Amino acid sequence: MRYGLFSDVHGNLEALQAVLGVLKREDVDNYICLGDIIGYGASPRECIKLIKDLNPIVIAGNHDYAAVHLTDISYFNTYAKEVILWTQNQLQDEDREYLTGLKLVHNLPDFTLVHATLRRPEKWNYIFSTYDAQQNFQMLTTSLLFIGHSHVPIIFEENTPCRYYFKETVKFEEGRKYIINIGSVGQPRDGDPRASFALYDTESRIIQIKRVEYDVTGAMRKIAEAGLSKVLAWRLSRGE
Ligand SMILES: [Fe+2]
């Protein structure tokens, strides 16, 4: 089975279209979205619709839940809060119903999906260090955990000692656990403005974390036209 995985689209239609264009050419069997479909970008409804049409496995991100009042936004920064309030006004009932129905964790026979962490996923903590990773490895009942949330692609490997690294292509070894952050489609934060996503082949156990250029200027223009903060547009051009 070949999976196309993407995360943290954040209402960036231009980036999502570019990623789906590549994944379609790669002939994937199934799609997986690791949450945060909306928030930050100016095309929340269009992104929800496009993702729905793929009939993927989708889990909830903090922004998805925030848009439908399922999580507290008092800890959101000023810009994130501003966009969530704007997004709440854009969404229609069918969008709210879709976001409300998303679950925090999804278990497949061979791997597990969560937006933030397995340890109290509703707290939206981050896996930044090997210490964070080890706590999650203890709770992981499969060998692979795919995550998003930080917008920075990285791989944690349970080894002696636990280590982390980034490689575009990784073959997972049998009997070893991994946590794979596949980066963000719509708001990368690793200094590379190109949209990040992944392809996973369950037979070969090979993951490829890929990047694709998209119409950043178009996404920035829509943010400006929606009257949202200039900072949100500017950071897209920098991958910050
Ligand atoms: Fe996010």
Side-chain angles (χ1 to χ4, degrees):
M1 177 86 86
R2 280 162 66 77
Y3 286 97
L5 296 103
F6 58 90
S7 187
D8 295 272
V9 171
H10 283 294
N12 186 336
L13 182 64
E14 289 71 16
L16 179 61
Q17 284 170 330
V19 165
L20 295 182
V22 178
L23 289 176
K24 271 177 193 147
R25 285 196 293 279
E26 292 281 351
D27 212 16
V28 302
D29 302 303
N30 212 342
Y31 293 91
I32 290 172
C33 171
L34 296 173
D36 276 1
I37 298 171
I38 53 88
Y40 296 126
S43 307
R45 295 209 68 215
E46 295 86 339
C47 289
I48 291 173
K49 178 160 185 343
L50 201 50
I51 290 170
K52 250 180 169 174
D53 289 347
L54 293 171
N55 196 24
I57 300 168
V58 193
I59 51 166
N62 47 326
H63 291 253
D64 304 319
Y65 268 13
V68 289
H69 308 282
L70 286 175
T71 198
D72 178 26
I73 63 165
S74 60
Y75 75 95
F76 272 37
N77 67 47
T78 318
Y79 305 115
K81 218 180 274 181
E82 173 200 328
V83 186
I84 282 299
L85 297 174
W86 177 85
T87 303
Q88 285 169 346
N89 282 324
Q90 304 296 314
L91 297 182
Q92 302 294 311
D93 283 348
E94 56 181 324
D95 309 317
R96 292 189 195 97
E97 208 174 296
Y98 185 70
L99 297 178
T100 304
L102 302 179
K103 300 279 177 283
L104 287 168
V105 183
H106 190 98
N107 278 297
L108 285 119
D110 303 322
F111 56 85
T112 304
L113 313 171
V114 73
H115 183 68
T117 65
L118 278 183
R119 245 177 92 86
R120 296 185 297 172
E122 75 287 356
K123 295 285 182 197
W124 312 112
N125 293 319
Y126 290 90
I127 301 177
F128 280 141
S129 65
T130 53
Y131 176 79
D132 302 332
Q134 263 158 348
Q135 288 191 317
N136 281 270
F137 280 132
Q138 281 170 15
M139 302 190 63
L140 184 61
T141 53
T142 60
S143 58
L144 305 175
L145 175 64
F146 292 106
I147 62 168
H149 197 39
S150 74
H151 301 201
V152 176
I154 194 165
I155 293 171
F156 291 91
E157 184 179 321
E158 191 183 41
N159 209 324
T160 326
C162 177
R163 62 192 191 112
Y164 63 87
Y165 50 85
F166 176 77
K167 270 196 238 171
E168 281 179 17
T169 304
V170 175
K171 184 172 168 64
F172 300 126
E173 285 183 41
E174 296 274 0
R176 191 168 285 175
K177 288 181 175 178
Y178 298 83
I179 296 171
I180 308 97
N181 191 318
I182 61 168
S184 167
V185 171
Q187 197 196 70
R189 293 180 191 159
D190 58 352
D192 181 346
R194 295 176 302 163
S196 183
F197 62 102
L199 263 169
Y200 176 51
D201 186 316
T202 54
E203 255 173 54
S204 64
R205 292 179 63 83
I206 289 175
I207 188 162
Q208 293 170 271
I209 300 179
K210 292 174 163 274
R211 303 300 281 249
V212 63
E213 282 183 13
Y214 72 95
D215 178 14
V216 177
T217 315
M220 291 172 72
R221 190 174 51 241
K222 281 191 191 162
I223 288 172
E225 284 168 2
L228 295 166
S229 169
K230 281 192 184 109
V231 173
L232 297 167
W234 173 81
R235 65 188 296 184
L236 293 183
S237 67
R238 312 259 307 182
E240 284 182 6

